[in-house]
Amino acid sequence: MDRIFNFSAGPSMLPLEVLEEAARDMTNYKGSGMSVMEMSHRSKVYDDIIKEAEKDLRELMDIPENYKVLFLQGGASTQFSAVPLNLMVNGKADYIVSGQFSKKAFSEAKKYGDAKCIASSEASNYTEVPVISKDDIRPDADYLHICFNNTIYGTKFSYVPETGDIPLVCDMSSCILSEPVDVKKYGLIYAGAQKNMAPAGLTVVIVREDLIGKASPQIPVMLDYKIMADNDSMYNTPPCYAIYVAGLVYKWIKKIGGLKGMEEINKKKASILYDYLDSSDFYKSCAKKEFRSMMNVTFVTGNEELDKKFCSEAAAAGFVNLKGHRSVGGMRASIYNAMPIEGVEKLVEFMDNFAKNNK
């Protein structure tokens, strides 16, 4: 069977070139006689893999030397706890709630201190992102937390909040590596890898060094950034194979022009889909225009039965995982880095034919 166009919100498709290279290395990585799945994480061969991955990620994102890169486990959801446990030194943190995952992060932080939601777009079912100013942040907050791209609702921040001396913490799970990022504007960035980087199982944390080492002694050892940083992400066995695949993805992005090149491709894909939606009287885009995501495009027909029919016929035609999240309904096309332009073009062609046949 030929490969289909997978619009899953995550785990999502990986670049075919990366999958083919991983397949060639599957049983014998570079003459080692082993798969990466089998080798010791303490071996010289694997040490080269993880160090090369970190080096390439640092180059791609232009990560300053005073930031640590951690390859961890537990998904971004584990960071909902790890962030306040490591950073809520004075017991206060502010949150912007722009979707389900930032709401979960906020709920988790309330267990550990005075977490305050300073802005929320829940009243509009997260069709927009709250816009705040520096004055909205408590001056004694330990950090401000945001989720930059909201996978479920198809929205993203159109700005980076100005926080002054207060560290900005950002969940970038569904948009990391999709465009250039000024890492210096953030105290900490975290991301689950299963959308734009690697298979599920790996979480990347990029954290400024001065924020490390202030956690309570009672923090679980596996959540302590200092312990993980001091052990080069090797306190225990890391998600070895996912890190290896992430390294291949980093090289793939570098080859196509780095994050600037990736951004150009992603903007083109998003424009093809949004331009069609804006010109259609059959489909309606869910997110407000100024906050539209470049990674997750949500839309509806306005008829639940038609939405179901669309998803069913799309799957039969080779366009899978287009069903929207239950809180939004309709459809969601996740067009992460690995989705080729051809996939979006063919989806729009299918959408147009479906509209003509169902008016």
Side-chain angles (χ1 to χ4, degrees):
M1 178 181 180
D2 292 334
R3 282 179 62 79
I4 56 178
F5 291 114
N6 178 12
F7 292 90
S8 171
S12 64
M13 65 186 299
L14 286 161
L16 181 59
E17 182 180 320
V18 166
L19 292 174
E20 289 174 339
E21 182 171 353
R24 289 193 295 271
D25 285 342
M26 177 58 73
T27 59
N28 185 0
Y29 175 76
K30 298 190 183 305
S32 67
M34 296 178 288
S35 169
V36 176
M37 290 185 182
E38 302 171 296
M39 62 180 58
S40 167
H41 62 293
R42 305 293 183 189
S43 67
K44 176 65 168 64
V45 179
Y46 191 77
D47 188 58
D48 289 344
I49 290 173
I50 192 170
K51 284 181 177 175
E52 184 81 2
E54 179 179 340
K55 173 178 168 290
D56 286 339
L57 181 59
R58 284 185 175 277
E59 288 180 9
L60 276 173
M61 295 186 69
D62 192 21
I63 300 172
E65 290 184 5
N66 64 322
Y67 284 72
K68 291 290 187 181
V69 174
L70 309 177
F71 293 116
L72 308 177
Q73 301 176 68
S77 295
T78 299
Q79 297 307 310
F80 298 166
S81 306
V83 167
L85 284 170
N86 280 275
L87 271 56
M88 202 185 280
V89 180
N90 298 313
K92 287 188 177 182
D94 288 352
Y95 280 70
I96 297 177
V97 175
S98 57
Q100 186 181 88
F101 294 110
S102 53
K103 185 177 181 179
K104 287 183 175 180
F106 170 57
S107 296
E108 188 68 12
K110 287 192 289 185
K111 297 177 182 178
Y112 307 112
D114 176 12
K116 179 182 178 182
C117 172
I118 62 168
S120 172
S121 53
E122 186 171 11
S124 67
N125 198 32
Y126 303 118
T127 56
E128 59 190 325
V129 169
V131 177
I132 67 143
S133 71
K134 183 180 173 183
D135 292 338
D136 295 315
I137 308 168
R138 290 182 292 180
D140 56 348
D142 289 308
Y143 61 86
L144 171 68
H145 179 284
I146 65 172
C147 179
F148 204 77
N149 186 84
N150 300 286
T151 317
I152 291 173
Y153 303 94
T155 62
K156 69 171 286 190
F157 273 74
S158 57
Y159 70 106
V160 178
E162 174 58 49
T163 62
D165 294 331
I166 297 170
L168 179 60
V169 174
C170 186
D171 178 352
M172 288 192 183
S173 293
S174 56
C175 62
I176 195 166
L177 301 183
S178 64
E179 60 186 331
V181 169
D182 186 353
V183 175
K184 296 187 296 295
K185 291 184 177 181
Y186 302 86
L188 186 149
I189 294 169
Y190 66 91
Q194 69 275 12
K195 301 174 186 290
N196 254 349
M197 276 196 283
L202 167 65
T203 308
V204 172
V205 171
I206 302 165
V207 56
R208 209 172 63 214
E209 288 181 348
D210 65 292
L211 299 176
I212 297 175
K214 300 177 182 179
S216 163
Q218 284 75 41
I219 188 173
V221 65
M222 292 301 297
L223 300 184
D224 192 329
Y225 295 145
K226 179 170 173 52
I227 288 175
M228 294 302 161
D230 288 348
N231 287 274
D232 297 320
S233 303
M234 294 261 197
Y235 176 79
N236 69 325
T237 306
C240 297
Y241 197 76
I243 294 169
Y244 155 70
V245 176
L248 297 182
V249 171
Y250 302 155
K251 290 188 181 301
W252 173 76
I253 295 175
K254 287 174 71 175
K255 190 163 68 173
I256 61 176
L259 295 190
K260 287 185 178 179
M262 196 76 258
E263 181 183 37
E264 289 178 13
I265 295 169
N266 286 330
K267 281 184 174 179
K268 183 174 182 179
K269 289 186 296 185
S271 292
I272 291 170
L273 191 43
Y274 282 123
D275 287 350
Y276 175 73
L277 288 170
D278 288 341
S279 68
S280 172
D281 58 3
F282 186 82
Y283 303 100
K284 179 186 176 184
S285 178
C286 298
K288 291 189 178 179
K289 202 165 188 175
E290 60 267 39
F291 301 108
R292 284 175 173 175
S293 168
M294 193 165 59
M295 298 281 96
N296 311 98
V297 181
T298 52
F299 58 98
V300 296
T301 65
N303 181 307
E304 288 187 16
E305 291 306 313
L306 265 183
D307 290 350
K308 289 178 183 177
K309 184 180 181 184
F310 177 96
C311 292
S312 176
E313 292 187 10
F319 307 98
V320 302
N321 294 314
L322 281 163
K323 183 180 179 181
H325 190 272
R326 60 185 177 275
S327 62
V328 179
M331 284 72 69
R332 171 178 56 183
S334 294
I335 51 176
Y336 297 124
N337 288 353
M339 174 60 66
I341 292 173
E342 178 193 12
V344 180
E345 292 173 336
K346 288 187 177 297
L347 174 62
V348 166
E349 183 181 336
F350 171 83
M351 290 170 66
D352 196 46
N353 288 332
F354 183 87
K356 289 174 181 175
N357 293 333
N358 289 275
K359 282 186 176 179

